[in-house]
Amino acid sequence: VSPYVLVTPKETRRKQLQQIAKNELDDLERWKKEHRPGPITLVPQRLGGKESEAQARQKQQMMLMQSKYQQKHKREEYVKAKKAAEEAEILKKKTIQREKAERLEIKKRQQEMQRREMFLVDQNYKTNELLNRLDVGLPKSDSCQIANPGPESTAWTRSCAYKRALQEDENRRLEEMKQEQRRKAELMESKEKQKEEARTRAHQNEQRRVNNAFLDRLQKKTQPNNRYQPGYTG
């Protein structure tokens, strides 16, 4: 048994459908020819604005220059922001380095003071030891002054004066070191401030020079020349 049934088409029905399709296509082509749009006729009119050709060109040139100026201004703003960020980063690094240097300097001063104190303690110990050896045979007294000065009392007095002179000299040296460090810090701060003011003035002068040069070029270019005068037929 075959799985499908073949139906023989009707030739007359097929011809009728083909004829109907052909008639419809012919009608469509005829309708297109009948409804084809004719030529377009427009009323002649003058186009353009009220400005002359020279004025239009000058206006176009002005707009172009303004666009260039805006682009240049954006580039300058970008460069300025980038430079400010770099300067801020450099200033931050300088501040960090300055703080490290100050901490190191403070540490060095503390170590130096500790060494001086240890030296003074050792020196006082040895001086006292020497004075104790020289003081053998002298009467006990809390004061360096003796009622009847003799050779021994004169040595004792000189030793006390020497100790006081050493202590005063050490105090004077410490005070001078403190004042020197203070002067160095003030001088460094003053130099940094002067450098920052100089950079600011240089940047302002450069910006003013660039703006003046651009305005001069803009004024020269905007002046109408003979080529764009009305009535020129070149």
Side-chain angles (χ1 to χ4, degrees):
V1 179
S2 178
Y4 61 89
V5 179
L6 182 60
V7 178
T8 305
K10 295 180 180 181
E11 190 66 26
T12 56
R13 180 63 177 169
R14 182 180 180 183
K15 289 181 179 180
Q16 289 178 0
L17 293 175
Q18 290 179 350
Q19 187 64 33
I20 292 171
K22 183 179 179 182
N23 294 333
E24 290 179 353
L25 290 174
D26 293 339
D27 293 339
L28 179 61
E29 289 296 330
R30 188 171 52 256
W31 184 87
K32 286 182 179 180
K33 290 180 180 179
E34 293 177 356
H35 293 81
R36 180 179 298 174
I40 300 175
T41 57
L42 296 176
V43 179
Q45 57 181 355
R46 185 174 181 178
L47 301 178
K50 298 180 180 180
E51 298 179 351
S52 62
E53 182 181 0
Q55 293 176 351
R57 289 184 179 180
Q58 185 178 359
K59 184 177 180 180
Q60 185 179 8
Q61 186 179 7
M62 180 68 69
M63 293 176 64
L64 180 61
M65 294 179 66
Q66 288 179 356
S67 176
K68 290 182 179 179
Y69 176 75
Q70 291 177 358
Q71 293 178 0
K72 182 179 180 181
H73 182 68
K74 288 182 180 180
R75 287 196 299 270
E76 290 177 353
E77 290 294 332
Y78 173 75
V79 172
K80 187 188 297 183
K82 186 177 179 181
K83 187 175 181 181
E86 291 177 353
E87 290 180 353
E89 186 67 21
I90 293 173
L91 183 61
K92 183 179 178 182
K93 291 181 179 179
K94 286 183 178 179
T95 304
I96 294 173
Q97 293 297 329
R98 190 183 300 111
E99 291 177 354
K100 288 182 180 179
E102 290 177 355
R103 287 197 296 268
L104 183 61
E105 187 67 23
I106 292 172
K107 186 176 179 180
K108 287 182 178 179
R109 288 201 299 268
Q110 290 177 353
Q111 292 176 354
E112 184 67 21
M113 291 178 66
Q114 289 177 359
R115 284 195 295 268
R116 288 179 178 275
E117 290 176 358
M118 292 175 64
F119 173 75
L120 288 175
V121 171
D122 184 66
Q123 188 179 19
N124 290 332
Y125 175 76
K126 290 183 179 180
T127 304
N128 290 330
E129 186 179 0
L130 176 63
L131 293 176
N132 289 331
R133 287 200 303 268
L134 294 175
D135 197 28
V136 176
L138 293 176
K140 301 296 180 179
S141 177
D142 295 335
S143 174
C144 293
Q145 300 292 333
I146 299 178
N148 297 318
E152 295 83 0
S153 63
T154 304
W156 174 259
T157 304
R158 287 199 301 268
S159 299
C160 292
Y162 177 71
K163 289 171 65 177
R164 288 195 298 271
L166 286 177
Q167 186 66 30
E168 292 175 357
D169 185 62
E170 185 64 23
N171 293 333
R172 181 178 56 79
R173 290 179 183 176
L174 291 175
E175 186 64 26
E176 289 178 354
M177 288 177 61
K178 291 180 181 179
Q179 293 180 0
E180 183 66 23
Q181 293 297 330
R182 192 179 300 110
R183 285 195 297 271
K184 288 182 179 179
E186 292 176 355
L187 182 61
M188 185 179 297
E189 184 178 359
S190 177
K191 288 183 177 179
E192 290 294 332
K193 186 175 180 181
Q194 291 177 359
K195 289 180 180 179
E196 186 66 26
E197 291 177 354
R199 284 196 297 267
T200 303
R201 287 195 299 270
H203 180 69
Q204 291 177 353
N205 293 333
E206 181 64 19
Q207 187 70 22
R208 191 179 298 108
R209 185 186 66 79
V210 171
N211 292 337
N212 291 334
F214 177 76
L215 291 175
D216 292 339
R217 291 196 302 270
L218 183 63
Q219 185 176 4
K220 290 180 181 179
K221 290 182 178 180
T222 53
Q223 291 178 355
N225 49 22
N226 295 329
R227 183 178 178 180
Y228 300 115
Q229 291 295 333
Y232 178 72
T233 60

